[in-house]
């Protein structure tokens, strides 16, 4: 049980964490800060936070748990602003979708003294509809949360982080920042890049509007992530570009191979290849923690 | 009201059409044929068809409405086998996802005499789970159905086709086979090709299994169509390869442009581009006929 949660960045992720902690009875009071005062005010009006803070520092002050939920490029400046309050009495986590850059930013901003009190975290959850008005107490339920603690990270804080996310119905995994960024380049960042590129290619054609009026459920699901938040994805694709571009090359090789079969009229090879893929995808199921099953998984 | 529906190919599409016609009270009896006797038998056992026919010809014989629902590469040989029964007293339609090749196959197989009695149709509906056991009376409800009649096509049959699909809750559109194939290369065939290539690229990496265990809801939706039927997609990608490869080139140009922004570190341009795409995708909604709304659209 915490006395006060400080949320820096009252958007979908921060707002949902506040609602989830409240609903689970794990926090008495939530203080929130956002760069935009109107966002903070909306969060307060919706009951997502109890008190609007006028700075990140004021949101952290007096809190025994803090969630940093800003676009990853803002991590370093935000940590600098609050660094002297980042200490082992506080569970201080972020929610960034990339971890190597967040860890580097934390090293620079916090220095040796404060770094051990920061627990880098990435909850595998989200919606295309960003903003605090879509905050949802159930956002993290049945999801995975990756922690990427460093050698320096204070072990009791890692345990405390594990306990909090588990109490919200999430499954906690630990890995290195490097392994995290490789894996998520493959299963999350590249698909977003492909969906952005694909949607743009269709929509920007002369007949694009007509084409889009004919699109069905397959198109709808394939392009859902193309509606994702621009600032968040600018930062992710920039921070993890080396791994994303590597994954893109592997994707292009697989696409080249399929197109060569189409070009060459090798229908048997094409069918055999698609059959392997189709069966593998049919046998894939999203990892869901025990007891954390969701309607949509 | 029809006396007898003949279904050639008792899979998801043919089976669902049979169930929908029965449920709407539009047909007295359904006779079905599939290349695999066990499929025909399953369809009969499940009550999707009433009578199992031992050949395509026997399924058409005595029917006043026929649905040809086989992989498109089998269109020509099937039409040849039943050609002398394709006449204006029968509403004879297919459900192929490509139309230029189906129309050419029909020209060759049916000749001038029988071609006018064939109405090329493409219902924009489906599921990844193929097979008659997934047949669903509601599959076509709230969906679009494209008819691509030729100059030769008997006009009253086009009207009758429009009436039947409308009675099942679908919205009927007419276009040329060429326009159809261009549009569906863009909004359906290319996304399938990309989803196949992407899933394979991830799964075939040394760490692919670990990566897949971390994938979340975005990945799930982006790759849903990678589980599609191999024979169906072998034929579609082969039949419409020129248009699909053209769309792939446009996609690659859009991907190149986004990657150049990542490479160049042009975060502002990247964000601006993603913002345009994200807003356009947020404003896109799947076309659904009036009164045909569905849970999932």
């Amino acid at each position: 049980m915490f006395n006060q949660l400080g949320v820096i960045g009252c958007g979908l992720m921060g707002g949902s964490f506040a609602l989830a902690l409240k609903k689970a009875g794990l926090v008495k009071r939530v203080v929130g800060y956002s760069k935009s005062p109107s966002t903070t005010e909306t969060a307060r009006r919706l009951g997502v936070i109890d008190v609007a803070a006028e700075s990140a520092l004021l949101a952290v002050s007096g809190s025994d748990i803090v969630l940093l939920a800003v676009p990853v490029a803002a991590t370093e400046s935000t940590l600098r602003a609050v660094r002297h309050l980042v200490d082992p009495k506080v569970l201080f986590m972020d929610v960034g979708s990339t971890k190597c850059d967040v860890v580097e930013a934390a090293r620079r901003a916090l220095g040796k003294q404060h770094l051990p009190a920061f627990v880098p975290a990435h909850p595998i959850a989200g919606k295309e509809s960003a903003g605090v008005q879509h905050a949802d107490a159930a956002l993290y339920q049945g999801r995975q949360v990756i922690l990427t603690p460093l050698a320096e990270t204070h072990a009791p804080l890692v345990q405390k982080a594990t306990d909090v996310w588990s109490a919200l119905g999430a499954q906690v995994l630990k890995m290195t920042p490097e392994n995290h960024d490789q894996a998520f380049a493959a299963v999350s960042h590249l698909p977003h890049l492909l969906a952005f590129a694909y949607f743009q290619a269709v929509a920007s054609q002369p007949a694009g509007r007509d084409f889009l009026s004919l699109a069905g459920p397959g198109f709808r699901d394939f392009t859902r992530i193309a509606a994702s938040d621009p600032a968040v994805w600018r930062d992710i694709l920039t921070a993890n570009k080396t791994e994303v571009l590597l994954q893109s090359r592997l994707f292009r090789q697989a696409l080249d191979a399929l197109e060569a079969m189409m070009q060459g009229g090798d229908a048997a090879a094409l069918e055999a290849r698609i059959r392997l893929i189709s069966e593998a995808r049919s046998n894939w199921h999203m990892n869901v923690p025990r007891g954390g099953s969701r309607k949509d998984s």
Side-chain angles (χ1 to χ4, degrees), chain A:
Chain A
M1 179 69 173
F2 297 94
N3 276 310
Q4 181 177 305
L5 165 67
V7 177
I8 307 176
C10 302
L12 173 68
M13 302 296 280
S16 297
F17 189 74
L19 289 176
L21 241 62
K22 283 186 178 194
K23 195 175 174 193
L26 289 173
V27 71
K28 291 185 188 147
R29 198 167 94 117
V30 178
V31 178
Y33 166 74
S34 287
K35 203 171 131 190
S36 147
S38 73
T39 301
T40 319
E41 179 47 33
T42 303
R44 203 197 50 75
R45 195 168 38 75
L46 293 172
V48 171
I49 63 172
D50 303 309
V51 179
E54 289 188 3
S55 69
L57 193 65
L58 287 170
V60 178
S61 177
S63 295
D64 48 356
I65 177 170
V66 173
L67 197 75
L68 178 64
V70 297
V72 285
T75 302
E76 184 169 350
S77 61
T78 312
L79 287 178
R80 278 192 197 282
V82 303
R83 60 178 290 173
H84 70 275
L85 294 179
V86 181
D87 79 51
K89 292 193 293 293
V90 183
L91 173 57
F92 198 112
M93 299 184 288
D94 78 317
V95 297
S97 295
T98 49
K99 294 268 75 87
C100 287
D101 65 317
V102 163
V103 163
E104 284 162 30
R107 270 189 205 287
R108 287 191 301 265
L110 300 177
K112 278 188 186 165
Q113 191 189 340
H114 300 286
L115 184 65
F118 174 64
V119 182
H122 174 204
I124 315 305
K127 292 183 189 175
E128 279 54 63
S129 31
V132 69
Q133 65 275 26
H134 298 108
D136 176 359
L139 187 71
Y140 303 113
Q141 188 189 320
R143 298 304 188 203
Q144 294 183 311
V145 175
I146 317 294
L147 303 180
T148 64
L150 310 174
E152 298 92 325
T153 311
H154 196 50
L157 288 175
V158 178
Q159 186 57 51
K160 203 183 264 192
T162 304
D163 294 344
V164 169
W165 288 110
S166 301
L168 302 185
Q171 179 186 37
V172 177
L173 300 177
K174 295 183 195 76
M175 57 178 78
T176 65
E178 292 75 19
N179 285 347
H180 171 281
D181 285 4
Q182 285 161 11
F184 285 91
V187 300
S188 170
H189 308 166
L190 180 64
H192 279 78
L193 180 66
L194 299 181
F196 293 141
Y198 167 70
F199 189 88
Q200 203 217 342
V202 175
S204 64
Q205 293 177 46
R209 186 183 289 258
D210 291 341
F211 290 175
L212 290 176
S213 74
L214 295 166
F219 176 93
R220 177 196 59 203
D221 291 354
F222 186 76
T223 60
R224 183 173 66 76
I225 52 178
S228 296
D229 186 76
V232 167
W233 284 92
R234 168 203 67 200
D235 286 356
I236 292 171
L237 295 177
T238 304
N240 204 23
K241 74 176 173 190
T242 306
E243 295 296 337
V244 175
L245 293 172
L246 169 67
Q247 289 296 328
S248 180
R249 284 199 296 280
L250 297 175
F251 159 76
R252 285 171 189 252
Q253 286 167 12
L255 181 59
D256 288 345
L258 286 167
E259 291 189 355
M261 292 173 191
M262 290 166 63
Q263 290 275 18
D266 192 348
L270 187 61
E271 180 181 357
R273 177 69 62 97
I274 296 174
R275 188 172 302 280
L276 283 176
I277 296 164
S278 172
E279 286 173 0
R281 176 56 182 81
S282 297
N283 291 327
W284 175 85
H285 297 288
M286 200 164 76
N287 245 337
V288 174
R290 284 162 203 240
S293 68
R294 299 170 60 101
K295 288 194 300 286
D296 60 347
S297 54

